[in-house]
């Protein structure tokens, strides 16, 4: 992958008369949190963040070849109502399969969202299945904080819940394959590494790795330095499975872990000036990642070849983008590695890297 | 003629244990280890049933046991785990360091159960409803060899409740968390196998650090919690060369505390690479 092209220097000062040629904005009528790129179509799913039962998932189309402000727009026919704000959205990673979109909230839902027809007369997405693991006698549910769709074994989705469990679903049969009490407190994020291996982060401050072939054990690969500091987000580098990145609550640092050297981070990236909210690895490069936070900045980092090459004064980002408001979400498109999306306020922004 | 009595009825004391009896029992177990409870009263000079000695030790006298003063966080965790696991007290207690299944059960029945029920049930009364299907077919969840004893105790204590409130979905696993620190493995890496064997024993026996380790009994957590900052942190514990080897490293880390031989095998493989 070529080094990312720098955004225009007018990015932070551009007005409506001088639009940034590498950034495209779509405004929606509500706050936005969850984002997901489709692996097959130039479509981006966004979930609203309203503290209400009635929320909405909007599908946005963009042109990755000849982008323009007009081509980045919402598709009203393909948007649908969603109960509660979705905590995560993700499309089926297998391109050949029917286009399914999964969402997590009070429970896990699978939506059939055909993306062959993006016109105004397209058929509406329909709810295909609700995966609910409540006991029959209970009227409570344990909300899901996140989930991850296994790319190697796409019938598996792992969900993270505030009831301290991670649940592995077989979505073809609609049943629980495995449920693990993963942590001592709420589980905030989950990420697959291999077909049967996933990692999770928790309010108990630990990153743990689980192997479905050995359900009796899990491995703690990191614990936050201050006791009881929750970990919020986890990203597993799919191009180099030795590396993970994690975010701590109320911290501006991005912690990069090497699972071969557990306990001590390879690097801590300290250039955000406010809390870091989102982190993502580059889809086709092994040592690039992007983080975004409350300082309104999206930073792209390049890690050194070895941990020994980390300078004492810390790593500087190779690219900086200033959105002008707190960035809540960040996604780096696997199908179009030149593009990433950020969400702030009621805007979704498409950035060319 | 029914079940055989665990001990003769004459000459056996009942009721509250005195501090002298506690001291005698603790000293005996410290000297001779747990087990063979039937013989313990006679050898320790106690006029108690062996069963009573075992229960006294497990629920009150064992090292690192904490009784009373259940914190708000612990309450919250008990409520959530009970909702998830039902009355499987040994599994719930396994997630609370220093707590026993007996204490969790008593605390739930005397305090939390009524409080949680008031919020959940109609008219303020809490009714336990068994799942319609699947309760008999579902196997009991296991949580590792270290909790087998507690599991048996819990099932004996509440056989009916355990059966009626199992989850209707797949069994719930409670993996034992193994803390891995680079220093621990660097330490072993730098020593000869014989030396590693010598130093492993006092580390395991030394205990310590169990408070922060959830999901493990005290016997296992003492080993898991040992943390040594030896060697450079820049070096990985295992060789990272070759595709697909990295996950073997993680599995080796997880199984290291179960068997030193796995560690030595991986070390040898690493050296050959």
């Amino acid at each position: 992958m070529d080094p990312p092209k720098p955004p225009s220097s007018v990015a932070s000062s551009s007005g409506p008369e001088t639009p940034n040629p590498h950034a495209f904005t779509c405004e929606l009528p509500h706050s936005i949190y969850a984002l997901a790129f489709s692996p097959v179509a130039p479509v981006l799913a966004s979930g609203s963040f309203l503290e209400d039962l009635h929320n909405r998932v909007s599908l946005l189309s963009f042109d990755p070849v000849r982008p323009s402000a007009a081509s980045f727009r919402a598709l009203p026919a393909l948007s649908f109502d969603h109960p509660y704000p979705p905590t995560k959205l993700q499309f089926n990673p297998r391109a050949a399969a029917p286009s399914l979109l999964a969402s997590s909230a009070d429970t896990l839902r699978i939506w059939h969202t055909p993306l062959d027809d993006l016109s105004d007369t397209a058929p509406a997405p329909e709810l295909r299945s609700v995966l609910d693991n409540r006991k029959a006698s209970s009227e409570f549910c344990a909300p899901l904080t996140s989930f991850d769709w296994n790319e190697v074994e796409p019938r598996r989705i792992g969900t993270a819940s505030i009831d301290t469990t991670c649940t592995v679903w077989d979505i073809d049969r609609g049943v629980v394959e495995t449920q693990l009490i993963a942590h001592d407190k709420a589980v905030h994020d989950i990420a697959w590494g291999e077909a049967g291996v996933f990692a999770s982060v928790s309010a108990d401050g630990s990153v743990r790795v689980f192997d479905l072939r050995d359900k009796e054990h899990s491995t703690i690969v990191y614990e936050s330095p201050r006791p009881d500091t929750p970990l919020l987000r986890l990203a597993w580098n799919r191009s180099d499975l030795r590396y993970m990145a994690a975010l701590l609550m109320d911290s501006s640092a991005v912690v990069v872990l090497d699972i071969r050297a557990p306990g001590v981070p390879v690097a801590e990236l300290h250039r955000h000036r406010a809390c870091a909210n989102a982190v993502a690895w580059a889809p086709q490069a092994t040592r690039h990642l992007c983080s975004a936070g409350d300082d309104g900045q999206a930073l792209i980092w390049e890690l050194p070849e070895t941990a020994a090459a980390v300078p004492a004064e810390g790593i500087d980002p190779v690219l900086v983008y200033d959105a002008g408001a707190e960035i809540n979400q960040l996604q780096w498109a696997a199908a179009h590695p030149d593009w990433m999306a950020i969400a702030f306020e009621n805007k979704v922004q498409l950035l060319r890297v | 003629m029914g079940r055989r009595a665990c001990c003769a009825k004459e000459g056996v004391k009942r009721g509250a244990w005195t501090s002298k009896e506690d001291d005698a029992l603790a000293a005996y177990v410290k000297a001779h280890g747990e087990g063979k409870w039937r013989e313990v009263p006679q050898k320790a000079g106690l006029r108690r049933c062996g069963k009573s000695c075992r229960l006294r030790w497990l629920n009150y006298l064992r090292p690192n046991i904490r009784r009373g003063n259940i914190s708000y966080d612990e309450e919250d965790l008990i409520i959530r785990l009970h909702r998830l696991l039902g009355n499987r007290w040994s599994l719930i207690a396994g997630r609370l360091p220093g707590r026993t299944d007996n204490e969790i059960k008593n605390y739930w029945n005397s305090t939390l159960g009524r409080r949680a029920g008031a919020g959940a049930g109609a008219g303020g009364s809490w009714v336990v409803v068994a799942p319609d299907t699947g309760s008999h077919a579902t196997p009991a969840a296991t949580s590792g060899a270290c909790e087998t004893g507690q599991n048996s105790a819990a099932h004996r204590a509440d056989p009916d409740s355990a059966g009626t409130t199992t989850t209707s979905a797949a069994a719930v696993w409670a993996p034992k968390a193994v803390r891995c620190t680079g220093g621990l493995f660097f330490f072993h890496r730098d020593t000869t196998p014989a030396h590693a064997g010598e130093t492993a024993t006092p580390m395991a026996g030394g205990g310590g650090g169990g408070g922060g380790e959830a999901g493990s009994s005290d016997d296992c957590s003492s080993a898991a919690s040992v943390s040594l900052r030896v060697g450079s942190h820049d070096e990985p514990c295992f060789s990272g060369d070759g595709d697909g080897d990295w996950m073997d490293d993680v599995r080796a880390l997880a199984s290291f505390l179960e068997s030193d031989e796995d560690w030595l095998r991986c070390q040898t493989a690493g050296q050959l690479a």
Side-chain angles (χ1 to χ4, degrees):
Chain A
M1 169 179 168
D2 292 333
K5 294 182 286 291
S8 169
S9 59
V10 303
S12 58
S13 60
S14 68
E17 300 168 3
T18 57
N20 184 343
H22 303 286
F24 304 94
T25 305
C26 179
E27 284 198 27
L28 292 167
H30 40 64
S31 305
I32 296 156
Y33 178 67
L35 291 178
F37 276 104
S38 165
V40 296
V43 167
L44 180 64
S46 72
S48 65
F49 185 68
L50 302 167
E51 297 189 28
D52 195 294
L53 179 60
H54 306 286
N55 275 258
R56 192 150 180 89
V57 173
S58 306
L59 298 197
L60 321 174
S61 75
F62 63 96
D63 189 334
V65 180
R66 289 182 306 275
S68 69
S71 66
F72 186 40
R73 62 184 183 90
L75 304 168
L78 291 177
S79 302
F80 54 93
D81 290 327
H82 189 285
Y84 301 110
T87 54
K88 181 151 184 182
L89 294 170
Q90 195 171 354
F91 283 93
N92 186 343
R94 177 155 292 178
S99 182
L100 301 176
L101 174 68
S103 68
S104 57
D106 54 327
T107 185
L108 184 68
R109 292 181 175 82
I110 310 289
W111 309 80
H112 182 49
T113 55
L115 302 178
D116 313 329
D117 184 2
L118 301 183
S119 69
D120 292 340
T121 59
E126 63 181 30
L127 179 60
R128 176 160 131 155
S129 54
V130 177
L131 302 168
D132 193 346
N133 195 27
R134 271 182 282 182
K135 289 189 290 184
S137 59
S138 175
E139 58 188 87
F140 304 106
C141 67
L144 303 179
T145 52
S146 187
F147 71 92
D148 194 20
W149 205 320
N150 195 317
E151 297 180 1
V152 184
E153 189 75 58
R155 65 182 171 85
R156 276 182 180 149
I157 290 184
T159 63
S161 172
I162 64 168
D163 67 0
T164 76
T165 66
C166 291
T167 306
V168 178
W169 289 90
D170 182 333
I171 61 169
D172 290 343
R173 296 188 293 138
V175 298
V176 171
E177 181 180 333
T178 299
Q179 185 172 22
L180 304 161
I181 300 175
H183 285 267
D184 306 328
K185 293 185 178 177
V187 189
H188 287 153
D189 204 355
I190 183 174
W192 288 100
E194 278 192 318
V197 176
F198 67 88
S200 56
V201 290
S202 168
D204 66 13
S206 68
V207 179
R208 300 189 190 189
V209 176
F210 301 82
D211 189 332
L212 295 180
R213 292 164 294 188
D214 178 18
K215 299 187 179 73
E216 302 283 346
H217 302 103
S218 67
T219 304
I220 297 178
V221 297
Y222 177 75
E223 286 179 294
S224 52
R226 294 189 305 278
D228 291 328
T229 299
L231 294 180
L232 294 182
R233 287 290 166 241
L234 176 70
W236 203 331
N237 187 342
R238 306 217 197 273
S239 303
D240 187 342
L241 291 164
R242 295 172 290 180
Y243 294 107
M244 299 178 186
L247 301 181
L248 292 83
M249 176 181 277
D250 294 334
S251 169
S252 59
V254 179
V255 177
V256 181
L257 308 169
D258 183 335
I259 62 173
R260 299 166 300 165
V264 178
V266 168
E268 289 193 21
L269 311 176
H270 277 291
R271 293 299 183 258
H272 279 292
R273 297 187 294 264
C275 303
N277 291 332
V279 62
W281 292 91
Q284 290 179 5
T286 57
R287 289 182 294 119
H288 290 85
L289 72 159
C290 182
S291 61
D294 274 357
D295 55 355
Q297 292 191 326
L299 309 176
I300 294 183
W301 313 80
E302 178 175 4
L303 299 176
E305 296 276 0
T306 60
V310 176
E313 64 275 10
I315 303 173
D316 283 319
V318 297
L319 289 174
V320 177
Y321 177 78
D322 199 332
E326 292 92 344
I327 302 177
N328 301 317
Q329 182 61 261
L330 161 70
Q331 290 287 321
W332 203 325
H336 313 280
D338 284 356
W339 293 97
M340 69 170 59
I342 59 176
F344 55 99
E345 294 175 337
N346 65 328
K347 303 177 182 64
V348 180
Q349 217 164 50
L350 211 55
L351 306 176
R352 195 208 304 256
V353 296
Chain B
M1 296 302 296
R3 190 175 305 170
R4 176 173 165 231
C6 59
C7 55
K9 291 184 179 175
E10 298 85 12
V12 174
K13 189 181 176 185
R14 298 174 181 270
W17 283 62
T18 65
S19 57
K20 280 187 181 178
E21 289 174 310
D22 283 344
D23 294 341
L25 177 58
Y28 179 86
V29 177
K30 185 176 178 182
H32 299 88
E34 300 181 17
K36 296 188 177 179
W37 293 103
R38 189 179 293 269
E39 305 169 10
V40 168
Q42 180 186 354
K43 294 186 174 179
L46 293 165
R47 289 177 49 244
R48 292 276 181 176
C49 179
K51 188 175 180 180
S52 299
C53 295
R54 175 180 175 276
L55 289 176
R56 184 68 181 174
W57 170 258
L58 287 182
N59 289 325
Y60 289 88
L61 302 182
R62 202 160 28 116
N64 299 320
I65 285 287
R66 299 186 296 123
R67 293 195 67 88
N69 297 315
I70 290 183
S71 68
Y72 174 78
D73 279 349
E74 286 177 307
E75 273 190 12
D76 187 50
L77 185 56
I78 292 169
I79 292 172
R80 288 189 277 110
L81 289 176
H82 185 272
R83 184 180 303 146
L84 180 72
L85 298 171
N87 285 353
R88 291 192 292 194
W89 308 113
S90 65
L91 293 185
I92 299 177
R95 314 297 303 193
L96 288 99
R99 302 294 180 184
T100 65
D101 51 355
N102 192 60
E103 184 183 21
I104 302 302
K105 173 170 73 75
N106 290 339
Y107 194 75
W108 175 269
N109 288 328
S110 62
T111 307
L112 293 181
R114 283 198 291 260
R115 188 191 308 172
S125 65
W126 185 53
V127 179
V128 179
V129 180
D132 295 331
T133 59
S135 59
H136 297 293
T138 304
T142 58
S143 58
C146 297
E147 299 186 29
T148 302
Q150 298 181 36
N151 231 343
S152 304
H155 283 298
R156 283 200 297 269
D158 286 289
D160 295 333
S161 302
T164 56
T165 56
T166 49
T167 58
S168 57
V172 180
W173 293 80
K176 181 181 59 174
V178 177
R179 180 182 290 106
C180 297
T181 57
L184 176 63
F185 298 99
F186 292 139
F187 177 81
H188 281 280
R189 185 189 186 96
D190 293 336
T191 59
T192 61
H195 183 48
E198 291 172 7
T199 54
T201 301
M203 279 195 295
E213 185 73 49
S216 309
S217 72
D218 292 324
D219 295 334
C220 293
S221 61
S222 59
S225 305
V226 171
S227 175
L228 296 176
R229 300 285 171 177
V230 179
S232 170
H233 295 305
D234 293 333
E235 298 178 13
C237 299
F238 294 91
S239 169
D241 301 328
D243 293 332
D245 287 340
W246 68 273
M247 201 57 224
D248 294 329
D249 297 345
V250 175
R251 283 193 292 272
L253 300 185
S255 63
F256 165 70
L257 292 172
E258 303 296 316
S259 169
D260 280 355
E261 294 166 356
D262 285 349
W263 162 257
L264 295 177
R265 194 176 307 125
C266 291
Q267 195 177 22
T268 306
Q271 290 170 353
L272 292 178

